[in-house]
Amino acid sequence: MDPLSEVLALLKPQSLSSGGFIVPGNMAIYFPKHQGIKCYAVLAGQCWLVVEGVPDPILLDVGDCFILPRGLPFRLTTDLSLEPIHYTLASGLLSKTNDAPEIEEGARYIAGGFFGFTGGHAEMLLHSLPPIVHIRRESDKAAMRWSLERLREELRDPQPGSSLIAQQLAYMMLIQALRLHLADVASAGRGWLSALSDKHMSIAIASIHNDPGYSWTLQSLAERVGMSRSVFALRFREIVGATPMEYLARWRMLLAADRLKNTSDGLSTIAQSLGYESESAFGKAFRRIMGCSPRQYTRSTMPVKRGAEDNEHELAVTG
């Protein structure tokens, strides 16, 4: 499995809502801070996206897709001069696609999904992304067209199982948008996700993911990617934001946390499989990175993170 797929599988994204809605031409809708990741696409019309803390508004056109990974408050508006209303109030005024199979000329039609994470340390993915991931190149739109068109049809003409299909299509949109963002050299920044688009760093990360229990050293990883030890160490830290050994240790602990929660494997088995010679060494590393002992982590309760408001309101807007 490739690193992006592994991280998404480990974080276990859960669809909190998916659907679509038609926005009238005289409305600005405010969405508060949220926990999780939102991925939407414009299937008809144009709309402005304004995200708190981002200086410039973005004009979204047909086929544009956007991801909001940081949970920042935002608003969607057809006119930047309009005073926004809270989405819980707007839900009664919006035309939901289920009730409006035919889209009127000039209507703004937005669809997508809102995802929470049941896995721990979601910031590994989310903090590697900018406040807005905007997919707008024509070639990228073409790559997403099939998923968008299928989602539109499921929402306009619901059939048995449409709700589940819409959720899966929204998830496909999210993964495809992340893939396109990853392939966009111009969007490269700091973080492990950007490292996956780097020829040498991607080899190092894939090596760690493919064999996390191996006794990797800075030297062995540098040799694997064909770089000197010092150059590799500097380059890795510049791109990923952590040293290779820090990344290795954290990835091991994320794997360990998943196994502690979802398997019956004992501490000794997990420790040995991840390259630790003793439970004691494993426990110290786990506490340093995860902030608690393995046994405390196993006993802890980690509910799905939801938005700042009840998801009933979110569902009322997004179908």
Side-chain angles (χ1 to χ4, degrees):
M1 189 183 295
D2 64 276
L4 178 58
S5 296
E6 283 187 314
V7 170
L8 286 172
L10 203 60
L11 295 177
K12 298 175 177 59
Q14 176 178 318
S15 176
L16 300 181
S17 64
S18 60
F21 53 92
I22 298 173
V23 184
N26 59 344
M27 183 178 291
I29 311 166
Y30 172 78
F31 295 82
K33 184 175 177 62
H34 60 273
Q35 290 181 307
I37 187 167
K38 296 192 176 188
C39 179
Y40 292 107
V42 179
L43 304 188
Q46 288 185 329
C47 187
W48 288 98
L49 169 65
V50 183
V51 177
E52 187 174 297
V54 177
D56 298 320
I58 294 176
L59 180 61
L60 302 169
D61 209 339
V62 177
D64 283 15
C65 179
F66 63 96
I67 301 176
L68 302 174
R70 302 278 187 87
L72 298 174
F74 69 98
R75 71 179 191 269
L76 296 171
T77 180
T78 55
D79 185 337
L80 292 172
S81 66
L82 291 174
E83 187 69 23
I85 61 175
H86 197 279
Y87 78 91
T88 55
L89 300 176
S91 61
L93 302 175
L94 299 177
S95 299
K96 296 171 69 175
T97 54
N98 295 22
D99 304 321
E102 295 300 327
I103 302 171
E104 297 179 0
E105 185 72 25
R108 287 82 176 173
Y109 181 13
I110 299 172
F114 174 31
F115 302 89
F117 296 100
T118 57
H121 289 247
E123 67 269 15
M124 183 175 185
L125 171 65
L126 304 186
H127 288 184
S128 296
L129 296 168
I132 307 171
V133 174
H134 184 196
I135 306 301
R136 57 186 169 184
R137 295 189 306 185
E138 288 303 320
S139 59
D140 292 345
K141 291 182 185 181
M144 297 195 69
R145 191 161 293 139
W146 183 87
S147 297
L148 297 178
E149 290 177 352
R150 288 299 308 141
L151 179 60
R152 174 172 174 159
E153 290 306 310
E154 291 296 334
L155 295 174
R156 292 179 63 186
D157 185 20
Q159 302 292 325
S162 283
S163 178
L164 183 58
I165 290 177
Q167 290 179 15
Q168 297 304 314
L169 288 169
Y171 189 30
M172 284 179 61
M173 283 171 51
L174 171 63
I175 298 172
Q176 184 68 23
L178 289 173
R179 178 190 288 176
L180 293 171
H181 173 70
L182 181 62
D184 186 358
V185 178
S187 69
R190 194 166 181 257
W192 77 272
L193 188 61
S194 296
L196 298 184
S197 62
D198 182 277
K199 176 182 177 181
H200 296 97
M201 299 307 105
S202 61
I203 294 175
I205 290 176
S207 298
I208 290 172
H209 282 236
N210 290 336
D211 195 357
Y214 182 76
S215 56
W216 294 108
T217 63
L218 185 60
Q219 183 64 38
S220 62
L221 285 170
E223 290 175 354
R224 176 63 64 91
V225 303
M227 300 176 73
S228 72
R229 186 172 179 271
S230 59
V231 172
F232 168 69
L234 179 63
R235 181 71 174 157
F236 193 98
R237 187 176 183 86
E238 285 179 346
I239 296 178
V240 179
T243 69
M245 295 301 99
E246 288 171 344
Y247 183 89
L248 171 63
R250 186 173 185 192
W251 180 244
R252 284 173 170 173
M253 293 307 105
L254 290 174
L255 292 175
D258 183 64
R259 290 175 64 179
L260 286 169
K261 277 290 186 181
N262 300 297
T263 73
S264 59
D265 294 346
L267 291 181
S268 179
T269 300
I270 295 174
Q272 290 181 12
S273 69
L274 294 176
Y276 293 91
E277 295 182 355
S278 68
E279 285 187 32
S280 175
F282 167 70
K284 289 179 180 178
F286 192 95
R287 182 183 291 275
R288 184 180 72 252
I289 294 171
M290 306 299 286
C292 63
S293 71
R295 287 183 172 83
Q296 288 172 328
Y297 185 87
T298 303
R299 293 194 299 265
S300 67
T301 300
M302 301 180 66
V304 176
K305 293 183 177 181
R306 295 186 178 268
E309 305 286 336
D310 291 338
N311 284 318
E312 295 177 2
H313 297 306
E314 184 77 25
L315 286 165
V317 175
T318 58

